[in-house]
Structure formats: structure tokens, C-alpha cells
């Protein structure tokens, strides 16, 4: 895309030699033999490996541990995603090895110290894209970021494999050469006034001129607005032989006349014209045209390959997730799986017993309306420390005093009643 050298792409699409793997590793900043050393023996057939096999080996984790925080400050999964994105772009001839290397250098120049990616800002990304030798419309870039922002791994940051995907919508800067438009001394407007040069363009930088040009082109050409179509009268195609036979017979095709001319009415401008299709009669000079099929055999084979890859990913999804989990456990918690395997299994907990609600009897209202004196439970008596503190003895003494006072009162009352009865009897 940014380079015209044939050696910047693999010689065969979808096949990589040892030299291609070394160039890819060097473009990403790895040692030249880092990718080649991760391949298991017997995978290279005559020094060539297909892209499908590379994808499968990357999915199975042959490169993860070797690239995990070894040659850069990135994890193994991050580097695997980066290699997969590079293989995809090289298969589609979207980016070359030199473009990947320049993108790597520009990304490292603008990446923050926390190693979490470049800020997803239009100004900073335009500088990084310019450093790679590409150009893009700022409006198009902001629309792209607005659509892709929810799918970013890090919030507000762009990773290197996402930055490479962003370069596919850019164009090489060497394609553009912005020239200042100059007006001749005799040029006039439609009103008969002499035109003048716009001197405001002289104060703009070359980058601002290129950005304004790309924005205008994006608004008129690259936008997704549906253009307004005008309907016109379609004339049936006639061959040269049919025209010659008509001329020899004395009949020459006449141009179509509008209804307004035939009826003598005033012509009116209409925004649309009704077109009625007329079936054409076949003559001896008719030669049917063979139309090309909509889908070629390559498209059908590509669809089959995509279906096979999707089925393979669906089948290996659980295995890859299990392998990834075991790898993380072994890396971050060494020996955890062995200890968990020897640990006894916990006993099966019995389900809790269900408590049946007691049915309400008929005398519940009588019991609640006239409650009886509550007696302390034996459990409360054993757990209560009032006996130890002597509080119970004090209460019992007070109760005895109260009971003796009541008895004395009752005796005095009985004695007074007996005296009153005797006195009344004597009287």
C-alpha cells in the first residue's frame, strides 16, 4: 500500500517462507529468529508454511510463552494478537513489511510511558499517521474513532494492532500534491466581476491544506450519503444492421416527442419522468450477451474456507479457553493446580429442613386476649448470670417482704371486721 517494491510482500499470498518470518519479526522489533524458533519441528514444508497453519499454531499457544514480556513490555496474548493482525494485512496486501515497521516506530514514539497504548485523539493519531507516510481526512478519522471506541481494549487508548487496522483506511502522502489556485487577470464571475486570488490560503501550512482537501473530498465522495438520481427516457439500443435496413426501406427512426409538443400545451419542468418498459422484438441480427456470474469460483472457495475456519474456532474454543486458564494459573500461581488436585472434595451439604407452620387453633384469640403470666425458660435460667451477681436473692427478699406485708394487712383487716361485728351485735 505504501511501497511498490515486490519484495515487500510474500511471494505467494497465504504462504510464508523462513525469510518472510524473519522479516516480519524484525518489523515488529523481535529478534530475527524468534518466530521461526517457536515453530514445532516438521511444520515447514520445503521451507514454507501456510497462513492457515500459522493461525492454528498461534491459537494453540506455541508463541504465547516465548513472547510473554521477553522482547518488549507486552504480554504474550498481546503479541499473538499483533502477529495475527499482521498476517491478515499481509494476506490482503493492505500493508507491507516496511509499512508495519514504520507503524511500529511511530506507535512507540507516541505511546505513553504506562505502555497502555496511544491516546485515541484525532490530533495525536494524525501525527503518528503522518510519521508512517500516510494521510487521512480528520473528519473521516473522527468518525472511525467514534464507531470503534466501544470495541477498544483499553478505554481511550489505541493498541498497535488497532493502529495497524486504522492504517488501512489511509492513503500514501506521496499521492497528493496540493497546488495553489491562481486566477488570471481576465477571469470574471457569472455577474461580470473580475475574480481575485484568495490570499487566506497563503497563511495555511501544507498539512492544513491537505486536511481541508481531504475533508472536502470526504464530504462529497467518501461520505455514505445516497446521491440524488435523475430519471431520463431510456432509448432502446439498436444495432447498425437494423438501422441500415430501416433506411433502405424508407423508414427512419424518429426522435421521441413529448406530450406537450403533440398537444400544444405549455411545457412545464417536472422533477421526474415516468418510464414504461417496452419489450424488444428479436430480429435476425440479435446476438444474446452472456453475462458474467455474480460470484466467481474464488469467492465460493473463499466462503467455504471462512466457514471451515469458523467451525474450527467453534470446536477449539473450549480447549483454547481451558489452555489459557491453565497457563495463567501456572504462571501467576505456580503449583496451585497440583495442590487443588490433592485437596479432598468438600462434603455434600444436606438441604435445609423445611419448617412447617403450625396451624392456628380456635382458642388462639382467647389466649391472646387474656395472656397468662410467663415463666422463665430453663435455658434462660442456666445462661443468665443474675444468680451469680445476687440479683435473684434481692428480688426474692423483696417478694417475701411484699408477701408478709400483704398477710399482715389481711390479718388486721380480719381483726377489724370481727370487732365491728361484735360491737354491732352488743348494740
Amino acid at each position: 500500500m505504501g511501497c511498490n517494491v515486490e519484495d515487500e510482500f510474500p511471494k505467494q499470498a497465504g504462504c510464508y517462507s523462513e525469510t518472510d518470518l524473519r522479516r516480519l519479526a524484525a518489523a515488529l522489533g523481535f529478534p530475527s529468529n524468534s518466530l521461526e524458533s517457536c515453530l514445532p519441528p516438521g511444520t515447514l514444508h520445503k521451507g514454507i508454511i501456510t497462513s492457515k497453519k500459522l493461525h492454528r499454531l498461534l491459537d494453540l499457544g506455541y508463541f504465547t510463552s516465548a513472547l510473554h514480556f521477553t522482547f518488549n513490555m507486552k504480554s504474550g496474548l498481546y503479541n499473538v494478537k499483533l502477529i495475527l493482525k499482521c498476517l491478515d494485512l499481509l494476506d490482503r496486501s493492505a500493508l507491507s513489511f516496511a509499512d508495519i515497521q514504520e507503524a511500529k516506530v511511530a506507535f512507540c514514539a507516541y505511546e505513553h510511558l504506562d505502555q497502555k497504548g496511544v491516546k485515541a485523539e484525532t490530533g495525536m493519531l494524525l501525527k503518528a499517521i503522518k510519521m508512517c507516510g500516510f494521510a487521512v481526512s480528520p473528519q473521516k478519522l473522527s468518525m472511525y474513532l467514534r464507531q470503534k471506541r466501544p470495541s477498544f481494549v483499553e478505554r481511550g487508548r489505541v493498541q498497535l494492532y488497532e493502529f495497524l487496522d486504522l492504517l488501512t483506511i489511509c492513503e500514501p502522502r506521496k499521492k497528493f500534491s496540493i497546488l495553489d489556485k491562481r486566477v488570471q487577470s481576465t477571469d470574471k464571475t457569472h455577474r461580470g466581476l473580475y475574480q481575485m486570488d484568495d490570499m487566506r490560503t497563503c497563511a495555511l501550512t501544507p498539512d492544513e491544506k491537505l486536511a481541508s482537501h481531504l475533508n472536502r473530498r470526504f464530504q462529497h465522495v467518501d461520505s455514505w450519503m445516497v446521491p440524488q438520481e435523475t430519471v431520463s427516457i431510456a432509448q432502446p439500443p439498436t444495432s447498425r444492421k437494423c438501422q441500415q435496413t430501416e433506411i433502405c426501406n424508407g423508414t427512419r427512426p424518429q426522435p421521441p416527442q413529448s406530450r406537450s409538443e403533440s398537444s400544444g400545451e405549455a411545457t412545464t419542468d417536472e422533477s421526474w419522468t415516468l418510464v414504461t418498459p417496452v419489450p424488444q422484438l428479436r430480429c435476425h441480427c440479435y446476438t444474446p450477451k452472456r453475462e458474467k456470474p455474480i460470484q466467481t469460483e474464488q469467492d465460493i472457495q473463499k466462503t467455504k474456507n471462512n466457514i471451515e475456519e469458523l467451525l474450527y474456532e467453534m470446536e477449539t474454543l473450549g480447549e483454547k479457553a481451558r489452555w489459557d486458564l491453565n497457563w495463567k494459573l501456572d504462571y501467576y500461581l505456580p503449583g496451585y493446580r497440583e495442590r487443588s488436585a490433592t485437596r479432598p472434595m468438600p462434603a455434600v451439604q444436606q438441604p435445609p429442613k423445611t419448617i412447617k407452620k403450625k396451624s392456628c387453633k380456635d382458642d388462639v384469640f382467647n389466649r391472646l386476649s387474656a395472656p397468662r403470666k410467663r415463666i422463665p425458660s430453663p435455658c434462660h435460667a442456666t445462661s443468665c448470670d443474675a444468680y451469680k451477681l445476687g440479683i435473684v436473692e434481692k428480688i426474692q427478699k423483696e417478694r417475701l417482704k411484699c408477701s408478709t406485708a400483704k398477710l399482715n394487712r389481711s390479718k388486721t383487716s380480719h381483726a377489724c371486721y370481727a370487732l365491728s361485728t361484735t360491737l354491732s351485735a352488743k348494740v
Side-chain angles (χ1 to χ4, degrees):
M1 185 172 174
C3 190
N4 296 326
V5 183
E6 295 181 357
D7 295 339
E8 293 298 329
F9 295 97
K11 294 182 179 180
Q12 297 180 5
C15 296
Y16 295 88
S17 61
E18 297 180 0
T19 307
D20 295 335
L21 293 177
R22 291 173 183 174
R23 297 173 71 183
L24 178 59
L28 295 176
F30 303 145
S32 58
N33 61 342
S34 58
L35 299 181
E36 187 181 358
S37 61
C38 295
L39 298 175
T43 54
L44 290 173
H45 180 67
K46 296 182 180 180
I48 296 175
I49 185 172
T50 60
S51 177
K52 191 173 181 180
K53 284 185 178 179
L54 269 176
H55 278 74
R56 185 175 181 181
L57 293 175
L58 287 165
D59 291 339
L60 292 176
Y62 282 90
F63 296 78
T64 307
S65 58
L67 302 177
H68 185 73
F69 291 108
T70 51
F71 308 118
N72 54 9
M73 299 297 294
K74 306 295 181 183
S75 63
L77 299 176
Y78 180 96
N79 292 323
V80 166
K81 282 187 178 181
L82 178 59
I83 295 171
L84 288 172
K85 178 58 68 175
C86 293
L87 293 177
D88 184 22
L89 295 175
L90 289 171
D91 291 342
R92 293 188 288 132
S93 299
L95 292 178
S96 62
F97 292 109
D99 296 334
I100 294 172
Q101 186 174 6
E102 291 176 359
K104 168 70 175 175
V105 174
F107 186 85
C108 292
Y110 287 96
E111 190 175 13
H112 283 241
L113 295 177
D114 56 1
Q115 298 292 317
K116 290 187 178 181
V118 181
K119 272 192 174 182
E121 296 178 355
T122 307
M124 187 171 292
L125 288 176
L126 284 175
K127 293 177 184 178
I129 290 170
K130 180 184 177 182
M131 191 173 177
C132 299
F134 292 91
V136 67
S137 170
Q139 294 180 0
K140 186 177 182 180
L141 179 59
S142 61
M143 185 179 295
Y144 178 86
L145 292 176
R146 201 181 307 117
Q147 292 178 352
K148 294 287 185 178
R149 199 178 300 274
S151 62
F152 287 159
V153 177
E154 192 72 25
R155 184 177 180 182
R157 300 290 184 90
V158 178
Q159 307 304 321
L160 181 53
Y161 49 87
E162 296 169 347
F163 182 72
L164 291 174
D165 202 6
L166 172 61
L167 290 180
T168 56
I169 66 171
C170 304
E171 300 177 75
R173 292 182 67 89
K174 62 184 180 181
K175 285 179 56 178
F176 304 99
S177 58
I178 308 301
L179 301 176
D180 295 334
K181 184 179 179 181
R182 292 289 179 263
V183 179
Q184 298 181 4
S185 59
T186 57
D187 288 346
K188 293 183 178 181
T189 62
H190 64 282
R191 295 182 179 179
L193 301 176
Y194 287 99
Q195 295 185 2
M196 298 180 66
D197 286 329
D198 189 6
M199 303 305 296
R200 291 176 296 181
T201 57
C202 298
L204 298 177
T205 61
D207 292 340
E208 292 175 349
K209 292 179 182 179
L210 180 59
S212 61
H213 169 71
L214 292 173
N215 284 335
R216 284 197 303 271
R217 196 185 69 171
F218 173 70
Q219 292 171 2
H220 296 288
V221 180
D222 296 341
S223 61
W224 292 285
M225 295 177 61
V226 180
Q228 296 180 357
E229 298 180 357
T230 56
V231 183
S232 59
I233 299 176
Q235 297 180 0
T238 56
S239 60
R240 186 176 296 177
K241 292 183 180 181
C242 295
Q243 292 179 359
Q244 290 179 0
T245 53
E246 290 175 353
I247 293 171
C248 293
N249 296 333
T251 60
R252 192 174 186 86
Q254 300 294 330
Q257 296 181 357
S258 60
R259 186 181 297 177
S260 59
E261 294 178 358
S262 61
S263 59
E265 298 176 358
T267 60
T268 57
D269 296 335
E270 296 181 354
S271 60
W272 58 276
T273 306
L274 180 63
V275 180
T276 306
V278 179
Q280 300 180 9
L281 300 176
R282 296 184 181 181
C283 59
H284 63 278
C285 59
Y286 174 77
T287 55
K289 295 182 180 180
R290 186 175 181 181
E291 298 181 356
K292 295 181 179 180
I294 299 175
Q295 292 184 349
T296 60
E297 295 181 358
Q298 296 179 355
D299 297 338
I300 296 172
Q301 186 65 29
K302 187 176 180 181
T303 306
K304 290 181 179 179
N305 294 337
N306 293 336
I307 293 172
E308 291 179 359
E309 291 179 1
L310 183 61
L311 292 174
Y312 171 76
E313 290 179 0
M314 291 171 62
E315 291 177 358
T316 59
L317 182 61
E319 184 67 21
K320 286 191 292 184
R322 187 184 63 79
W323 188 92
D324 189 14
L325 178 61
N326 294 337
W327 178 83
K328 287 183 178 179
L329 289 174
D330 294 338
Y331 183 80
Y332 293 105
L333 301 172
Y336 174 77
R337 287 197 297 158
E338 288 76 3
R339 292 195 302 269
S340 61
T342 57
R343 189 182 302 170
M345 296 295 292
V348 180
Q349 297 182 357
Q350 297 182 356
K353 297 181 179 180
T354 56
I355 301 173
K356 295 182 179 180
K357 189 176 180 181
K358 295 182 179 179
S359 59
C360 296
K361 297 182 180 180
D362 298 335
D363 58 343
V364 66
F365 298 103
N366 299 329
R367 181 170 54 82
L368 292 175
S369 60
R372 293 177 297 176
K373 188 177 180 180
R374 296 182 62 183
I375 301 172
S377 62
C379 297
H380 175 73
T382 55
S383 61
C384 183
D385 57 351
Y387 292 99
K388 300 177 183 178
L389 298 176
I391 299 173
V392 177
E393 296 176 357
K394 295 180 181 179
I395 294 172
Q396 289 178 355
K397 289 178 181 180
E398 290 179 358
R399 288 181 179 177
L400 287 172
K401 289 179 181 180
C402 293
S403 60
T404 53
K406 287 181 180 179
L407 288 173
N408 295 331
R409 289 174 189 171
S410 62
K411 288 178 180 180
T412 54
S413 62
H414 284 297
C416 292
Y417 179 73
L419 286 172
S420 61
T421 50
T422 53
L423 291 171
S424 62
K426 287 179 180 181
V427 173

